Amino acid sequence: MFRRCPRSGVRGPRSRVKGQKSKVKNIKLLIFILLTLNIGHWTVGSLSCQQFQEIEVKAGDTLWGVANYYLKEPSKWPEILKFNNISTDPNNVLPGIKLKIPVMLIKEQLRSSSIVSVVREVKIRRQIEVDWLDAKANMKLYNKDGIRTFENSSADVRSPLGNLMTIGPSSLVIVQPEDKSDETRLLSGEIRTTNIPIRTPTAFVMPKITAKTPVADYKTKVKEDQSTVVAVYKGAVDVSAKNKTVTVMEGFSTEVKINLPPMEPKRLPPTLDLSGMPASKENNQQIKSNDINPIDIKDKPADIKKDKIVNEINVGGELSKAAAYSSLLDIAQYHIQIAKDKEFNSVIYDSVRPIYDKFDIKKTDVPDGKYFWRVAYLDSSGAEGILSFAKEIYVDKTPPVLTVDEPKDNIKFSDDSITVKGSTELGALVDINGFYVSITKDGKFSGDVSLLNGENTIKINSKDDYGNISTVSLKVYRTEEGTKQRRRKFFSTPVGVILSIITITALMAISIVTIGGG
């Protein structure tokens, strides 16, 4: 189905026309003005609402030739004149120009969809061709053409009637415009759209267009077993299979298994709000976040990154797994997206995971930087709830700089202990063989390590505020033939020299007082 534009017009007071000849003359004059001045755009209000398809005229072709090839009824060629500034003679040769033609006049097999955007790997295949081509923005898709998305890939496609659909990862879609709709065949994967009817191997999904629900926003998914899942986020849709139709309202979903009619609609999983507290409308109560371990974010202060949420997206885990099978919720998976922008026009990570699989952004290929993320729950049938609001996050997966100056690797010493010296970034925690050491204001650290006879392993770790760890391991040997580590004696350091002077001065003063007093 498609939305019909309301007719509009302005009725003025009737003019008295004397004689039949005057009426005929006025009608002829009006027709002449419409054809020659091309002002048909404002003669009927409904024309401004029409969807158009732009076609390129082959050099040397005529308006009649274009109409005969593209139009379902070639005799309606005068309609093309209303939207294009061309000659009114259908037999005149046209240059290779582009013409706007109302979509509903064009033969179904010649109507074209347009690829709006492509994320990662997407392919298309023409109906009459065998090879798959790389999909690109602004490419045209015609009747029976296929479009295929791969893992972590997606595509936005605009239908001939102007409706937008988002094809999810690992999907296969056949474009198939009907006489009065934009029907699309979904063979595998998922599509989220508004007013486009979707036909799957087991069901037919038709949006309901009423005065109260003018637009339906819904997702249709074909699972590996070929069953169909429909989740409705706005408006309502009719899902039909095996001579049965169920109406799925906003906030509900249904499933259609092979050779079975649609199941009765059930409520979608709860939506995560900004405070991390999902609400259960069905039970009219709030469920504690700890019951399902939704999202727990901790602020970690640090110099220039103070008050920024870094590397913390705690979704999933054993606690969520336990709650997912409770009597209150039916949550089996979660869908997480990460994007460069708050509107999620540039998604760089998109994944559906089991609810017991804890998410760790450090194990992804998301580079360091500022991002936004959101999450939605999926129930046991695969129906997805509404995505949460976007949260800001800063990704920092870069380990701190760690340099060990002393000792060098594979050095032999005769000492029973040596000093380890090095430098790292400010704010990091450094441990040497498990013992933490202090860091100076310029990032320097040192610590003593006892040596056993023979081979000794020294392991130095530096951990920043975001859990990133740098490690340096080296081996030293204690033997009688080894050298002694050159250690700077305390009294040779600046502090030691000052203390020495103070001590000597004090002793001299005491001696003088003692001698004088004697």
Side-chain angles (χ1 to χ4, degrees):
M1 295 290 291
F2 65 97
R3 185 172 59 186
R4 296 182 181 275
C5 301
R7 294 182 179 270
S8 63
V10 179
R11 293 185 178 182
R14 295 184 178 180
S15 301
R16 295 184 180 181
V17 182
K18 295 182 180 181
Q20 189 68 22
K21 290 184 179 180
S22 296
K23 290 183 179 180
V24 173
K25 183 177 180 180
N26 288 342
I27 292 173
K28 288 183 177 181
L29 179 61
L30 177 60
I31 294 175
F32 175 78
I33 293 174
L34 292 178
L35 292 178
T36 56
L37 298 183
N38 189 28
I39 58 174
H41 294 281
W42 50 266
T43 57
V44 181
S46 62
L47 295 180
S48 62
C49 295
Q50 295 193 56
Q51 294 294 332
F52 297 92
Q53 179 171 322
E54 189 176 71
I55 64 102
E56 188 169 352
V57 179
K58 295 180 180 179
D61 206 350
T62 64
L63 177 59
W64 173 248
V66 170
N68 192 53
Y69 179 79
Y70 282 97
L71 303 190
K72 292 187 290 185
E73 299 180 43
S75 60
K76 291 187 176 181
W77 62 266
E79 293 292 319
I80 301 177
L81 296 175
K82 297 178 182 179
F83 311 101
N84 300 275
N85 186 20
I86 57 176
S87 170
T88 59
D89 186 348
N91 295 311
N92 280 352
V93 174
L94 298 175
I97 63 173
K98 293 181 179 180
L99 297 178
K100 289 197 307 181
I101 303 178
V103 170
M104 298 308 296
L105 297 180
I106 299 175
K107 299 173 183 176
E108 285 79 7
Q109 65 271 23
L110 297 179
R111 295 178 185 174
S112 66
S113 300
S114 298
I115 297 178
V116 177
S117 63
V118 170
V119 177
R120 295 188 178 88
E121 189 176 7
V122 181
K123 302 280 187 179
I124 67 166
R125 187 177 68 181
R126 304 297 182 191
Q127 178 192 9
I128 59 175
E129 298 177 359
V130 177
D131 296 332
W132 289 87
L133 308 173
D134 290 334
K136 298 179 181 178
N138 300 319
M139 269 188 170
K140 302 296 184 182
L141 295 173
Y142 298 93
N143 190 47
K144 306 297 185 183
D145 284 353
I147 180 168
R148 178 184 180 188
T149 60
F150 290 81
E151 187 177 2
N152 296 325
S153 302
S154 62
D156 286 337
V157 176
R158 192 171 300 281
S159 73
L161 296 181
N163 296 311
L164 187 68
M165 62 179 172
T166 298
I167 303 173
S170 304
S171 301
L172 178 59
V173 172
I174 305 298
V175 177
Q176 187 173 302
E178 296 288 331
D179 183 26
K180 294 183 179 180
S181 70
D182 285 333
E183 181 178 312
T184 296
R185 293 188 66 87
L186 176 62
L187 303 182
S188 63
E190 62 185 41
I191 290 177
R192 182 166 180 174
T193 187
T194 53
N195 290 338
I196 298 178
I198 305 294
R199 191 176 296 277
T200 73
T202 58
F204 180 67
V205 185
M206 174 64 73
K208 292 179 72 69
I209 308 299
T210 66
K212 294 183 178 180
T213 58
V215 177
D217 177 11
Y218 61 99
K219 178 183 286 187
T220 305
K221 179 190 298 184
V222 175
K223 298 162 61 175
E224 291 184 0
D225 63 358
Q226 295 294 288
S227 59
T228 300
V229 177
V230 180
V232 180
Y233 308 114
K234 186 177 180 181
V237 301
D238 285 336
V239 181
S240 304
K242 294 297 176 182
N243 298 320
K244 179 182 177 180
T245 298
V246 299
T247 298
V248 186
M249 303 301 294
E250 178 178 330
F252 286 80
S253 69
T254 187
E255 183 176 9
V256 184
K257 295 184 179 293
I258 296 178
N259 296 323
L260 291 176
M263 296 182 178
E264 288 303 312
K266 65 176 182 178
R267 190 174 294 278
L268 289 171
T271 302
L272 231 59
D273 61 21
L274 288 175
S275 62
M277 299 286 288
S280 172
K281 296 180 182 179
E282 188 173 19
N283 294 284
N284 194 27
Q285 62 180 355
Q286 274 201 326
I287 302 169
K288 295 181 180 180
S289 58
N290 289 336
D291 290 341
I292 56 175
N293 187 31
I295 297 173
D296 179 22
I297 300 177
K298 300 177 181 178
D299 291 334
K300 292 193 173 183
D303 50 358
I304 62 172
K305 296 178 181 178
K306 187 175 181 180
D307 299 329
K308 292 182 178 179
I309 300 169
V310 182
N311 297 345
E312 290 288 344
I313 302 180
N314 296 330
V315 185
E318 290 301 319
L319 186 60
S320 292
K321 179 181 178 182
Y325 296 99
S326 70
S327 58
L328 294 177
L329 297 176
D330 176 18
I331 299 175
Q333 297 173 303
Y334 63 92
H335 178 198
I336 184 167
Q337 289 183 327
I338 301 175
K340 294 181 179 179
D341 60 300
K342 197 171 184 178
E343 291 72 31
F344 283 77
N345 294 320
S346 180
V347 176
I348 64 170
Y349 184 86
D350 193 313
S351 177
V352 175
R353 296 165 171 258
I355 195 66
Y356 54 80
D357 184 7
K358 187 173 178 62
F359 182 77
D360 185 356
I361 198 169
K362 292 184 180 180
K363 295 181 180 179
T364 69
D365 58 356
V366 176
D368 289 3
K370 173 185 171 181
Y371 302 98
F372 296 88
W373 65 278
R374 59 187 182 183
V375 67
Y377 291 131
L378 286 77
D379 63 22
S380 55
S381 72
E384 181 175 331
I386 298 175
L387 285 160
S388 66
F389 287 102
K391 290 275 191 177
E392 190 175 73
I393 184 172
Y394 289 77
V395 178
D396 182 352
K397 299 187 290 184
T398 303
V401 175
L402 175 60
T403 302
V404 177
D405 301 320
E406 294 183 32
K408 301 300 181 183
D409 195 20
N410 292 316
I411 298 295
K412 295 179 181 180
F413 296 98
S414 60
D415 307 85
D416 57 0
S417 68
I418 60 173
T419 300
V420 178
K421 300 179 181 180
S423 60
T424 188
E425 68 180 40
L426 294 177
L429 290 176
V430 175
D431 73 87
I432 303 173
N433 283 355
F435 293 94
Y436 287 96
V437 296
S438 60
I439 302 176
T440 63
K441 293 182 179 180
D442 56 355
K444 301 291 185 180
F445 65 86
S446 65
D448 292 337
V449 176
S450 299
L451 298 182
L452 301 176
N453 290 329
E455 181 182 292
N456 292 263
T457 299
I458 300 177
K459 185 176 181 181
I460 305 98
N461 296 312
S462 178
K463 182 179 180 180
D464 65 17
D465 286 334
Y466 315 121
N468 303 307
I469 300 176
S470 292
T471 300
V472 173
S473 292
L474 50 88
K475 293 184 183 297
V476 297
Y477 300 84
R478 184 187 179 197
T479 65
E480 293 182 359
E481 298 81 14
T483 61
K484 284 186 173 293
Q485 186 184 49
R486 292 184 178 181
R487 301 198 202 183
R488 199 174 181 184
K489 301 299 182 180
F490 172 75
F491 288 105
S492 66
T493 63
V495 176
V497 170
I498 294 174
L499 288 177
S500 297
I501 294 173
I502 293 174
T503 302
I504 293 171
T505 303
L507 290 173
M508 291 177 64
I510 293 172
S511 299
I512 293 172
V513 170
T514 302
I515 295 172

